Amino acid sequence: GGKDAINITIINFNNEKMQITWATRELFHSENVSFFYTFGEGNHKVWKTCTTYLLDQDYNSGCLFKTEGPTLAISIRNSNGSEEFFSKKLKADFYIKPSPPENVTFFWKEDTVTVSCNKPERNARCLKLELQFKSKFDKEWQSRNTTCCSIREQGFDPRKCYSFRVRLNRLVPYCNVVNYSSDWEAETFWMNGMLLDSCDDDVTPQPKPVIVLSSSLAVLLMLLILLILLCKWQRVQLSVLPAIPDPKYPLADLFNDHNGNLQEWLDKNDHVVLQTKIEYEEPESITEAESQQEGGKNSEKPGPLGKIFTLPGAAENNDGRPAEIAYLMPASNTTSPFAGFHILMNDDIYVML
């Protein structure tokens, strides 16, 4: 409780403009407040009303006004100014946020770079120049600080591209009660003393596992290609220059058993040739011959078992040769014994038990 217990943010932009902000939604709920300020000391203060408010959901949450002196008094009141909610007196010089450095230059000599900027007209002793740089191989920025307004750094590799940025810091607690720094100056890119548009063209080295894996895959791919080419070459060689068979293996008995006597070898192997011919004779001819032989035997020994029935559709086979497909039909009312049973066969049925 109390008028000094409210959290506010105070920024003095390079001792030119003041910005005072507060959390209006948390502190004043739905009430819209008004802001008053005055510079100077004494009992006879002239309060000025804020003309440039900062808004948060249509509620006043801050004020922006010109810096007019080192001593500042502020007051937050209700909407019509009749009731005061908060008041504070402060030193405006203790809340200065410096502007970014101006006219930044880089001077290169071998592996050494010197960075400098213009010296501010006021309060230069309260400022420090901060330089940050990194190459594409670095994950974090490397930082260097020195008194305003020049810094010298060594150890830069001329083969690498570097990013640079600079800013000014306000000294705490000698000059400021809040650690305010300026915004970063525009980032620049340098390589071997030459200004570049970016470091995107710089090649980032691959990690060692990636290099090993890539090399292994390349070697395997080359071996696969060589194997495919070797197989294709063997196939081409066989098609162009076929292998000549050695006659001593299929004619081994001609030379070993008959001492090269061809006529004697042929006489002995006639049955082999004949057997080969019989094995490769057409199945239709063999079937036809067997059928004729069986028919001759049946004609020599006729019996009362039945008669031959010829299908009219089987007059010719596919080769154009006449052929008969004979079926043995049972005689009418014939009784045949089989395994102790007497079987009666007639014209209507084939078997009758």
Side-chain angles (χ1 to χ4, degrees), residues 2 52 86 116 139 146 205 217 221 239 286 295 312:
T52 305
F86 172 78
S116 58
K139 295 182 179 180
T146 186
L217 291 177
L221 182 60
S239 61
I286 298 174

Side-chain angles (χ1 to χ4, degrees), residues 114-265:
T114 302
V115 183
S116 58
C117 65
N118 288 350
K119 189 173 184 179
E121 297 179 358
R122 295 181 297 177
N123 299 323
R125 60 180 180 81
C126 290
L127 298 175
K128 294 184 69 174
L129 180 63
E130 181 181 4
L131 170 67
Q132 286 191 347
F133 59 90
K134 68 175 181 178
S135 69
K136 287 200 68 176
F137 309 133
D138 300 325
K139 295 182 179 180
E140 303 292 337
W141 288 94
Q142 301 184 52
S143 185
R144 302 291 186 271
N145 289 277
T146 186
T147 56
C148 188
C149 291
S150 180
I151 186 170
R152 185 172 178 266
E153 185 64 25
Q154 294 178 324
F156 292 98
D157 190 343
R159 297 170 298 178
K160 296 181 181 179
C161 180
Y162 291 90
S163 303
F164 290 90
R165 64 182 184 180
V166 293
R167 68 179 177 181
L168 293 174
N169 297 321
R170 185 82 171 177
L171 294 178
V172 177
Y174 307 105
C175 300
N176 259 34
V177 295
V178 182
N179 188 12
Y180 282 147
S181 300
S182 70
D183 296 332
W184 289 104
E185 179 65 13
E187 187 175 348
T188 56
F189 307 93
W190 296 82
M191 183 175 181
N192 197 19
M194 296 181 60
L195 181 63
L196 304 177
D197 293 334
S198 68
C199 289
D200 294 337
D201 296 334
D202 196 14
V203 179
T204 303
Q206 296 291 339
K208 290 184 179 180
V210 176
I211 296 176
V212 173
L213 181 60
S214 302
S215 303
S216 302
L217 291 177
V219 171
L220 290 177
L221 182 60
M222 292 180 62
L223 291 176
L224 180 62
I225 293 175
L226 290 176
L227 183 61
I228 294 174
L229 292 177
L230 181 61
C231 294
K232 287 186 175 293
W233 169 249
Q234 290 179 351
R235 296 174 66 180
V236 171
Q237 189 177 15
L238 289 176
S239 61
V240 176
L241 300 174
I244 300 175
D246 193 346
K248 69 179 181 180
Y249 294 108
L251 303 176
D253 54 347
L254 172 63
F255 298 99
N256 296 334
D257 300 339
H258 303 283
N259 295 323
N261 191 335
L262 180 62
Q263 186 61 42
E264 182 181 346
W265 180 79

Side-chain angles (χ1 to χ4, degrees), residues 243-306:
I244 300 175
D246 193 346
K248 69 179 181 180
Y249 294 108
L251 303 176
D253 54 347
L254 172 63
F255 298 99
N256 296 334
D257 300 339
H258 303 283
N259 295 323
N261 191 335
L262 180 62
Q263 186 61 42
E264 182 181 346
W265 180 79
L266 290 175
D267 294 340
K268 184 178 180 179
N269 289 277
D270 281 344
H271 69 283
V272 178
V273 177
L274 179 60
Q275 183 178 358
T276 304
K277 289 182 177 180
I278 294 175
E279 289 178 355
Y280 285 93
E281 191 174 358
E282 294 182 359
E284 292 84 353
S285 301
I286 298 174
T287 305
E288 184 178 357
E290 291 178 354
S291 300
Q292 291 177 358
Q293 292 176 3
E294 291 178 359
K297 293 178 181 180
N298 293 334
S299 61
E300 294 175 359
K301 297 179 180 181
L305 292 178

